[in-house]
């Protein structure tokens, strides 16, 4: 295998698994809204797709450290493929009426429970893959997140077109196929640190391992601060993609336009993530983060007035562009500050804390959209995002984002 082979395989696996999730992002809420037309029901399914992420991501981090990165990635994608393929299978066996809100919520929950393990496993393999390829870690993380954003260009775009041509139920076959391609890529991967870990790393069991990861993040003030910033931003931003935009375009019977909006977000994210590979040489990480959160609040506030589609697309592209470098920054800090035997658990803890606010935001957004309207709901999410952006200017731990690897940042 060439020097860049392992890194390219990880990038391809991330692209395929992300595409599967991108298609699901459009298909699940569309199926619900097509049946009931209720934003509350769409919120229930969206929440079912996020609520398990808190516990699942914690467990996923320990599973990666205990069972091995390569093995966990393949198992996770196999179970994710099974969860989405169940939708058309049930429709074939019992008719489309069998695919109701409760069933969709259950399958979304199952998929959400399995996905974090695969994402965590692939992220924890990046440092060794980057070293093998001769890339800097910032460079590798930029391309990894670019692949993920590209997946959300391909996924929602294809998802919207497939729904318009094949219907939401049959679209799930494509989702399952994307997960299977990710499995194939990781199956042929050969990389140091990706196999079965040292048995000594399993001492104390899964629960003790999770506690160790939580303790490490809590005592590391930069990781702790990043976790809370991401928790707040995720809780405010997630309902826009998962409920508000699907509700807006379902009411207008425009599935393709929903795909375009999600594609605009991902195109901006793709350019932003790729651009960070160059930007990281000239700009401080703290500056990039403050700019991203502030811009996100401003853009969401303008979107709250539901301007014409072309302006929404431009704003979504801007949001993606400024936020594209954030994930590479998070990845860099986790990968460089956590020792290798704890890497999976640290990634899991950070991911789970980010997901914790998602269900709360969705619980609020769905009923609020049904009762007060989309405009008021957008404002209820965008104004706190503006406050969060201003707050990042005064968070002292963020000044340490530009310190070198393994810097002592505990408090």
């Amino acid at each position: 295998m060439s020097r860049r082979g392992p890194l390219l395989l990880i990038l391809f696996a991330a692209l395929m698994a992300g595409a599967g999730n991108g298609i699901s992002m459009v298909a699940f809420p569309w199926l619900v809204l097509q049946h009931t037309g209720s934003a509350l029901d769409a919120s229930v399914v969206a929440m079912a797709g996020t609520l398990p992420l808190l516990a699942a991501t914690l467990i996923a981090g320990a599973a990666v450290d205990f069972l091995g990165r390569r093995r966990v990635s393949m198992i996770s994608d196999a179970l994710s493929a099974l969860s989405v393929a169940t939708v058309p299978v049930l429709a074939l066996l019992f008719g489309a009426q069998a695919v109701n809100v409760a069933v969709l919520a259950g399958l979304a929950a199952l998929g959400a429970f399995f996905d974090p393990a695969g994402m965590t496993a692939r992220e924890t393999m990046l440092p060794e893959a980057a070293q093998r390829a001769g890339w800097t870690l910032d460079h590798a993380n930029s391309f990894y997140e670019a692949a993920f954003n590209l997946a959300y260009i391909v996924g929602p775009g294809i998802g919207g077109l497939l729904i318009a041509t094949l219907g939401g139920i049959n679209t799930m076959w494509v989702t399952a196929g994307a997960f299977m391609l990710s499995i194939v890529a990781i199956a042929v991967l050969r990389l140091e640190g990706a196999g079965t870990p040292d048995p000594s790393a399993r001492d104390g069991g899964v629960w003790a391992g999770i506690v160790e990861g939580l303790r490490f993040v809590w005592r590391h003030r930069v990781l702790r601060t990043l976790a809370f910033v991401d928790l707040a931003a995720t809780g405010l931003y997630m309902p826009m993609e998962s409920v508000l935009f699907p509700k807006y375009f379902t009411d207008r019977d425009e599935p393709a336009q929903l795909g375009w909006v999600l594609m605009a977000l991902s195109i901006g994210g793709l350019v932003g993530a790729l651009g960070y590979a160059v930007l990281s040489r000239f700009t401080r990480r703290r500056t990039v983060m403050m700019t991203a959160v502030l811009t996100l609040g401003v853009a969401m506030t303008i979107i709250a007035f539901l301007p014409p589609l072309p302006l929404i697309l431009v704003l979504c592209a801007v949001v993606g562009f400024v936020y594209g470098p954030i994930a590479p920054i998070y990845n860099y800090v986790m990968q460089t500050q956590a020792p290798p035997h704890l890497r999976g658990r640290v990634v899991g803890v950070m991911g789970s804390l980010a997901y914790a606010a998602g269900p709360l935001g969705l619980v609020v957004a769905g009923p609020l959209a049904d009762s007060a309207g989309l405009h008021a709901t957008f404002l209820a999410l965008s104004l706190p995002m503006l406050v969060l952006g201003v707050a990042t200017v005064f968070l002292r731990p963020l000044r340490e984002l530009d310190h070198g690897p393994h810097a002592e940042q505990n408090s």
Side-chain angles (χ1 to χ4, degrees), residues 239-258:
M240 183 176 75
E241 277 194 22
S242 300
V243 175
L244 301 187
F245 277 142
K247 170 66 174 173
Y248 178 64
F249 289 107
T250 301
D251 288 347
R252 298 164 64 94
D253 193 26
E254 296 175 344
Q257 283 79 348
L258 173 60

Side-chain angles (χ1 to χ4, degrees), residues 65-157:
D65 285 340
F66 290 2
L67 301 179
R69 299 161 185 169
R70 182 169 166 269
R71 179 187 300 172
V72 169
S73 178
M74 291 189 292
I75 293 173
S76 169
D77 286 337
L79 295 173
S80 294
L82 180 63
S83 70
V84 294
T86 300
V87 172
V89 169
L90 286 176
L92 285 173
L93 294 177
F94 304 107
Q97 68 275 8
V99 187
N100 54 38
V101 173
V103 169
L104 291 170
L107 292 175
L110 286 175
F113 193 81
F114 301 138
D115 283 341
M119 291 187 288
T120 301
R122 289 185 288 272
E123 284 186 25
T124 56
M125 289 189 281
L126 279 177
E128 289 78 12
Q131 185 176 19
R132 171 86 72 88
W135 288 21
T136 67
L137 195 49
D138 272 326
H139 197 179
N141 279 314
S142 294
F143 273 77
Y144 177 82
E145 294 301 330
F148 196 74
N149 280 285
L150 180 59
Y152 279 85
I153 296 171
V154 175

Side-chain angles (χ1 to χ4, degrees), residues 10 14 24 67 78 80 104-105 109 120 134 168 184 189 194 213-214 234 261 276 332 338 340-341 399:
I10 293 171
S24 298
L67 301 179
S80 294
L104 291 170
T120 301
V184 172
L189 173 68
L214 284 166
T234 301
V261 166
Y276 182 67
Y332 176 87
H341 73 281
R399 299 178 184 178

Side-chain angles (χ1 to χ4, degrees), residues 20 49 68 70 81 96 99 134 142 172 187 190 207 220 283 294 360 383 407:
R70 182 169 166 269
V99 187
S142 294
M172 290 302 190
R190 297 296 180 269
W207 176 246
H220 195 291
T283 307
L294 281 167
L360 180 60
L383 296 180

Side-chain angles (χ1 to χ4, degrees), residues 13 47 102 106 135 148 151 171 207 211 319 335 340 378 380 382 406:
M47 185 174 64
W135 288 21
F148 196 74
T171 295
W207 176 246
V211 171
V319 166
Q335 292 158 355
F378 267 116
S382 62
H406 305 295

